Amino acid sequence: MLQLPSGQWTNTLEEAYEHLLHVHFPGCQAVRDTDTNPTDKLAVPSAYRWVPSTNWSTAEEVVTHEKLKWAIDSMAPYKSLGVDGIYPVLLQRGFKYLSTPLVHIFRASIALGYIPVPSTWRSSRVTFIPKPGKLNYVVATAFRPISLTSFLLKGLEKLVDNYLRSGPLSAVPMHPRKHAFQAGKSTESALHQMVGRIEWALQANEYTLGVFFDIEAAFDNTSCQSVK
């Protein structure tokens, strides 16, 4: 049972799941399974069909057979799978048969800026787990979602991440005071830097002014359009 904003309570497990989805994924809607629909091949917007792209050279640089093998081999063989039911070990054992078609699909996806069919590549299996340290677990915000996506899509993400880190970010690195998404930095390094500045001010008999703010559900309420 979960308490709704109106003060009422959910009566069924389905109502609780629906409330969790709407809180953590605002604007989400229930959709039917398109994998069994014979018109699934028409799911690609017409604007993306047979349209030449100037990004093919970048796509060929991001996706190669060697880099794809690295991305797939770096995955734990039997990690929890997504909706498509494909374990990483299946991709690893059958790489010599899958390599060429996957390279073509991944390059086209990057060049056209579109995640291709099947739709399971764009679907996630979500599990809600309780956040530690909460006084009660009767509200949806006391839980956080864990999304299990396709390892094929994760492989593509690894290739793009590797390209960004070894290419653009090496030429134009992030600001040194940014501690997220950088190797060797974390919340601990951020706290260490802040404490160091405070200690320096105390030793110099000066004041330190700190401003802290927390954006509630920042990622949950960030629209896809703003991320793009």
Side-chain angles (χ1 to χ4, degrees):
M1 296 177 63
L2 292 177
Q3 189 175 23
L4 302 173
S6 62
Q8 298 179 341
W9 296 81
T10 57
N11 296 314
T12 64
L13 189 60
E14 288 74 16
E15 288 183 3
Y17 282 147
E18 184 177 356
H19 178 54
L20 284 168
L21 285 173
H22 283 287
V23 169
H24 292 279
F25 302 95
C28 67
Q29 297 179 352
V31 296
R32 58 185 174 84
D33 185 7
T34 57
D35 283 344
T36 57
N37 186 355
T39 62
D40 191 35
K41 60 183 179 180
L42 302 178
V44 181
S46 58
Y48 288 103
R49 294 186 197 162
W50 317 113
V51 178
S53 173
T54 59
N55 297 323
W56 284 106
S57 59
T58 301
E60 292 174 357
E61 184 179 355
V62 174
V63 184
T64 64
H65 290 272
E66 294 75 17
K67 292 179 180 178
L68 178 60
K69 180 171 176 52
W70 161 80
I72 292 178
D73 287 345
S74 65
M75 301 177 185
Y78 297 99
K79 197 172 182 180
S80 299
L81 43 73
V83 179
D84 57 7
I86 298 177
Y87 284 99
V89 67
L90 300 177
L91 303 176
Q92 294 164 354
R93 297 287 180 85
F95 181 77
K96 65 179 181 179
Y97 306 104
L98 300 171
S99 174
T100 298
L102 285 180
V103 165
H104 291 316
I105 293 173
F106 286 175
R107 285 178 177 175
S109 177
I110 292 175
L112 301 179
Y114 182 78
I115 302 299
V117 291
S119 60
T120 50
W121 284 29
R122 302 189 299 271
S123 302
S124 299
R125 185 158 57 92
V126 181
T127 300
F128 293 95
I129 62 175
K131 296 179 180 178
K134 295 292 182 179
L135 296 178
N136 62 70
Y137 294 92
V138 299
V139 293
T141 53
F143 298 82
R144 67 183 182 94
I146 298 296
S147 299
L148 302 177
T149 58
S150 168
F151 283 102
L152 289 165
L153 181 62
K154 290 180 180 179
L156 180 58
E157 291 176 345
K158 281 178 173 288
L159 294 174
V160 173
D161 179 74
N162 177 68
Y163 169 76
L164 292 175
R165 292 181 184 274
S166 60
L169 288 181
S170 63
V172 185
M174 295 182 182
H175 194 279
R177 292 186 181 177
K178 181 176 176 60
H179 294 264
F181 307 108
Q182 294 198 70
K185 291 187 177 182
S186 63
T187 53
E188 292 182 359
S189 62
L191 289 171
H192 176 73
Q193 185 182 67
M194 181 187 69
V195 172
R197 293 176 65 89
I198 295 175
E199 291 178 342
W200 178 88
L202 292 175
Q203 292 176 359
N205 293 322
E206 296 182 355
Y207 292 97
T208 299
L209 176 64
V211 179
F212 303 88
F213 68 95
D214 178 35
I215 302 176
E216 183 178 359
F219 289 101
D220 294 346
N221 294 289
T222 301
S223 66
C224 295
Q225 190 62 33
S226 64
V227 172
K228 294 178 182 179

